[in-house]
């Protein structure tokens, strides 16, 4: 139940971030409202800072409380080819009401 609730919270954050960076979805774009949804870089930066900006950030605390595994990536590794990354994309597994329309790499 807790993970389900957190899924909804994260989906809401995702929607908010999309709007703050100016990525309106097709329905909004087609409705003529997209002109009112200009990017808001200062608000986006403030939200990202609160989420990820320091060890007191929301996402950092969330990962620590859920005992999720943090993976260190070797910065000297060669990045994968773009076509390989495109082939690795798949639908996000989980409850359809939360994950519909999201994909993972």
């Amino acid at each position: 139940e807790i993970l389900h609730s957190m899924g909804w919270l994260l989906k809401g954050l995702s929607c908010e971030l999309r709007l703050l960076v100016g990525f309106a979805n097709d329905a909004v774009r087609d409705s003529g409202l997209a002109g009112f949804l200009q990017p808001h870089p200062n608000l986006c930066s403030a939200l990202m800072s609160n989420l990820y900006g320091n060890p007191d950030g929301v996402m950092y605390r969330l990962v620590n409380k859920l005992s999720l595994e943090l993976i260190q990536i070797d910065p000297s590794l060669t990045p994968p080819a773009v076509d390989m990354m495109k082939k690795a994309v798949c639908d996000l597994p989980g409850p359809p009401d939360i994950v519909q329309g999201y994909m993972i790499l």
Side-chain angles (χ1 to χ4, degrees):
E1 228 175 81
I2 292 172
L3 287 177
H4 183 80
S5 298
M6 289 167 46
W8 276 106
L9 175 64
L10 294 173
K11 184 173 183 173
L13 283 171
S14 171
C15 292
E16 185 67 21
L17 284 170
R18 287 180 60 83
L19 291 173
L20 289 175
V21 298
F23 293 140
N25 65 22
D26 292 338
V28 172
R29 208 173 4 263
D30 294 343
S31 72
L33 295 174
F36 298 106
L37 300 174
Q38 299 302 317
H40 298 279
N42 292 336
L43 289 172
C44 186
S45 178
L47 180 57
M48 293 298 285
S49 178
N50 285 323
L51 291 173
Y52 301 101
N54 57 56
D56 291 328
V58 174
M59 297 309 285
Y60 181 82
R61 289 194 326 244
L62 180 66
V63 168
N64 281 336
K65 295 291 182 195
L66 290 177
S67 300
L68 298 174
E69 184 179 356
L70 295 175
I71 299 171
Q72 297 294 324
I73 298 176
D74 183 354
S76 66
L77 292 175
T78 304
V82 174
D83 62 327
M84 292 301 292
M85 291 176 62
K86 287 180 181 179
K87 290 178 184 176
V89 173
C90 63
D91 290 333
L92 185 64
D97 56 340
I98 294 176
V99 300
Q100 184 177 10
Y102 291 93
M103 301 183 90
I104 58 174
L105 174 63

